[in-house]
Amino acid sequence: MAHAQERPLVLVVDDHPLVREALVQALEGPLQDLACIAVGSAGQALQQLHGLPRLAAVLADHRLPDGDGVSLLLEVRRLRPSTACVLLSGMEDPRLPARARHLGLDGYLSKSMEPLQIVAGDMHGLNTLEHQ
């Protein structure tokens, strides 16, 4: 396993502490070689983004207390084009995955997924990304 500072870094953005913690545990778990930073708002995410020299991915909730995940991820994409941008939502809106793809985001995850499905799904390739 790589050292913590060498592992791909994922920024998790969700305003629900239990969801944030569950995502971090799933992504940093024994099947992954990822490191995570978790925050609760778009503003906190942008502050972290400006302070991080490397970032493999941002996983952002669709609804945040100070904005929305789509706008945040589009800003991340503008600032860091090589960072993977994944939208997360608890809304069961079948249009969201298509909207995420249409906007050029790298993925969509439903909060109804089991944590191991998240790890085995869209996020599993992050441990092979080159460090930013």
Side-chain angles (χ1 to χ4, degrees), residues 1-10 32-35 52-57 80 82-84 125-132:
M1 184 175 274
H3 296 288
Q5 69 265 26
E6 297 172 1
R7 294 184 294 167
L9 185 60
V10 177
Q32 295 297 309
D33 198 11
L34 302 171
L52 296 171
R54 62 179 180 82
L55 189 61
R80 303 242 183 130
S82 63
T83 297
L126 293 178
N127 58 7
T128 63
L129 291 176
E130 289 188 270
H131 302 295
Q132 307 301 318

Coordinates of all heavy atoms in Angstrom, one line a residue, residues 1-10 32-35 52-57 80 82-84 125-132:
M1 N 0.9 -1.2 0.0 CA 0.0 0.0 0.0 C 0.9 1.2 0.0 O 1.9 1.3 0.7 CB -0.9 0.0 1.2 CG -1.9 1.1 1.2 SD -3.1 1.0 2.6 CE -4.3 0.0 1.8
A2 N 0.5 2.3 -0.7 CA 1.3 3.5 -0.8 C 1.2 4.3 0.5 O 0.2 4.1 1.3 CB 0.7 4.3 -2.0
H3 N 2.1 5.1 0.7 CA 2.1 6.0 1.9 C 1.0 7.0 1.7 O 0.6 7.4 0.6 CB 3.4 6.8 2.0 CG 4.6 5.9 2.2 ND1 4.8 5.2 3.5 CD2 5.6 5.5 1.5 CE1 5.8 4.5 3.4 NE2 6.4 4.6 2.2
A4 N 0.4 7.5 2.8 CA -0.7 8.4 2.8 C -0.5 9.6 1.8 O -1.4 10.0 1.1 CB -1.0 8.9 4.2
Q5 N 0.6 10.2 1.8 CA 0.8 11.4 1.0 C 0.9 11.0 -0.5 O 0.8 11.9 -1.3 CB 2.0 12.2 1.4 CG 3.4 11.6 1.2 CD 3.9 10.8 2.4 OE1 3.1 10.4 3.3 NE2 5.2 10.7 2.5
E6 N 1.1 9.8 -0.8 CA 1.3 9.3 -2.2 C -0.1 8.8 -2.7 O -0.2 8.6 -3.9 CB 2.3 8.2 -2.3 CG 3.7 8.7 -1.9 CD 4.7 7.5 -1.9 OE1 4.3 6.4 -2.1 OE2 5.8 7.8 -1.5
R7 N -1.0 8.5 -1.9 CA -2.3 8.0 -2.4 C -3.1 9.1 -3.1 O -3.1 10.2 -2.7 CB -3.1 7.5 -1.2 CG -2.5 6.3 -0.5 CD -3.3 5.7 0.6 NE -3.4 6.7 1.7 CZ -4.3 6.6 2.7 NH1 -5.2 5.6 2.7 NH2 -4.4 7.5 3.6
P8 N -3.9 8.7 -4.1 CA -4.7 9.6 -4.8 C -5.7 10.2 -3.7 O -6.2 9.5 -2.9 CB -5.5 8.8 -5.8 CG -4.6 7.7 -6.1 CD -3.9 7.4 -4.8
L9 N -5.9 11.5 -3.9 CA -6.7 12.3 -2.9 C -8.1 12.6 -3.4 O -8.2 13.1 -4.6 CB -6.0 13.6 -2.5 CG -6.6 14.4 -1.4 CD1 -6.7 13.6 -0.1 CD2 -5.8 15.7 -1.2
V10 N -9.1 12.3 -2.7 CA -10.5 12.5 -3.0 C -11.1 13.5 -2.1 O -11.0 13.3 -0.8 CB -11.3 11.2 -3.0 CG1 -12.8 11.4 -3.3 CG2 -10.8 10.1 -3.9
Q32 N -9.3 -0.2 -1.1 CA -8.9 1.0 -1.8 C -7.5 1.5 -1.4 O -7.1 1.1 -0.3 CB -9.9 2.2 -1.6 CG -11.3 1.9 -2.2 CD -11.2 1.7 -3.7 OE1 -10.7 2.5 -4.4 NE2 -11.8 0.6 -4.2
D33 N -6.9 2.3 -2.2 CA -5.7 2.9 -1.8 C -5.9 4.4 -2.0 O -5.1 5.1 -2.8 CB -4.5 2.4 -2.6 CG -3.2 2.7 -2.0 OD1 -3.2 3.1 -0.8 OD2 -2.2 2.5 -2.7
L34 N -6.9 5.0 -1.4 CA -7.3 6.4 -1.6 C -7.2 7.1 -0.2 O -7.3 6.5 0.8 CB -8.7 6.5 -2.1 CG -9.0 5.8 -3.4 CD1 -10.5 5.9 -3.7 CD2 -8.3 6.5 -4.5
A35 N -6.9 8.4 -0.3 CA -7.0 9.3 0.9 C -8.2 10.2 0.7 O -8.4 10.6 -0.5 CB -5.7 10.0 1.1
L52 N -4.8 22.6 -2.1 CA -4.3 21.2 -2.4 C -3.5 21.2 -3.7 O -4.0 21.6 -4.7 CB -5.5 20.2 -2.5 CG -6.3 20.0 -1.2 CD1 -7.6 19.2 -1.6 CD2 -5.5 19.4 -0.2
P53 N -2.3 20.7 -3.6 CA -1.5 20.7 -4.8 C -1.9 19.6 -5.8 O -1.7 19.7 -6.9 CB -0.1 20.4 -4.3 CG -0.3 19.8 -2.9 CD -1.5 20.3 -2.4
R54 N -2.5 18.5 -5.2 CA -3.0 17.4 -6.1 C -4.3 17.0 -5.6 O -4.7 17.0 -4.4 CB -2.0 16.3 -6.0 CG -1.9 15.7 -4.6 CD -0.9 14.5 -4.5 NE -0.9 14.0 -3.1 CZ -1.8 13.2 -2.6 NH1 -2.8 12.8 -3.3 NH2 -1.7 12.8 -1.3
L55 N -5.1 16.5 -6.6 CA -6.5 16.1 -6.2 C -6.9 15.2 -7.4 O -7.0 15.6 -8.5 CB -7.4 17.3 -6.1 CG -8.8 17.0 -5.6 CD1 -8.8 16.4 -4.1 CD2 -9.7 18.3 -5.5
A56 N -7.2 13.9 -7.0 CA -7.7 13.0 -8.0 C -9.1 13.1 -8.4 O -9.5 13.0 -9.6 CB -7.4 11.5 -7.6
A57 N -10.0 13.4 -7.4 CA -11.4 13.5 -7.6 C -12.1 14.4 -6.6 O -11.6 14.5 -5.5 CB -12.0 12.1 -7.7
R80 N -9.5 22.8 -12.4 CA -8.6 21.6 -12.5 C -9.2 20.6 -13.5 O -9.9 19.6 -13.1 CB -8.6 20.9 -11.1 CG -8.1 21.8 -10.0 CD -6.8 21.3 -9.4 NE -6.3 22.1 -8.3 CZ -6.0 21.6 -7.1 NH1 -6.0 20.3 -6.9 NH2 -5.5 22.4 -6.2
S82 N -8.2 18.1 -15.0 CA -7.8 16.7 -14.9 C -8.4 16.0 -13.7 O -8.2 14.8 -13.5 CB -6.3 16.5 -15.0 OG -5.7 17.1 -13.9
T83 N -9.1 16.8 -12.8 CA -9.7 16.2 -11.6 C -11.0 15.5 -12.0 O -11.9 16.2 -12.6 CB -9.9 17.3 -10.6 OG1 -8.6 17.8 -10.2 CG2 -10.6 16.7 -9.3
A84 N -11.2 14.3 -11.6 CA -12.5 13.6 -11.8 C -13.6 14.3 -11.0 O -13.4 14.6 -9.8 CB -12.4 12.1 -11.5
G125 N -11.5 3.2 -10.1 CA -10.4 3.6 -11.0 C -9.5 4.7 -10.4 O -8.4 4.9 -11.0
L126 N -9.9 5.3 -9.4 CA -9.1 6.5 -8.9 C -7.8 6.1 -8.3 O -6.8 6.9 -8.4 CB -9.9 7.2 -7.8 CG -11.2 7.9 -8.2 CD1 -11.9 8.6 -7.1 CD2 -10.9 8.9 -9.3
N127 N -7.6 4.8 -7.9 CA -6.3 4.5 -7.3 C -5.3 4.2 -8.4 O -4.1 4.0 -8.1 CB -6.4 3.3 -6.4 CG -7.0 2.1 -7.0 OD1 -7.3 2.0 -8.2 ND2 -7.3 1.1 -6.2
T128 N -5.7 4.3 -9.7 CA -4.8 4.2 -10.8 C -4.5 5.5 -11.5 O -3.7 5.6 -12.3 CB -5.3 3.2 -11.8 OG1 -6.5 3.7 -12.4 CG2 -5.5 1.8 -11.2
L129 N -5.1 6.6 -11.0 CA -4.9 7.9 -11.6 C -3.5 8.4 -11.3 O -3.0 8.2 -10.2 CB -5.9 8.9 -11.1 CG -7.4 8.7 -11.6 CD1 -8.3 9.8 -11.0 CD2 -7.5 8.8 -13.1
E130 N -2.9 9.1 -12.2 CA -1.7 9.8 -11.9 C -1.9 10.9 -10.9 O -2.9 11.5 -10.9 CB -1.0 10.3 -13.1 CG -0.5 9.3 -14.1 CD 0.3 9.9 -15.2 OE1 -0.4 10.2 -16.2 OE2 1.5 10.1 -15.0
H131 N -0.9 11.1 -10.0 CA -1.1 12.2 -9.0 C -1.0 13.5 -9.7 O -0.2 13.7 -10.5 CB 0.0 12.0 -7.9 CG 0.0 10.7 -7.3 ND1 -1.1 10.3 -6.5 CD2 0.8 9.6 -7.3 CE1 -0.9 9.1 -6.1 NE2 0.3 8.7 -6.5
Q132 N -1.9 14.4 -9.2 CA -2.0 15.7 -9.8 C -0.9 16.6 -9.2 O -0.6 16.6 -8.1 CB -3.4 16.3 -9.6 CG -4.5 15.4 -10.1 CD -4.4 15.1 -11.6 OE1 -4.1 15.9 -12.4 NE2 -4.6 13.8 -11.9

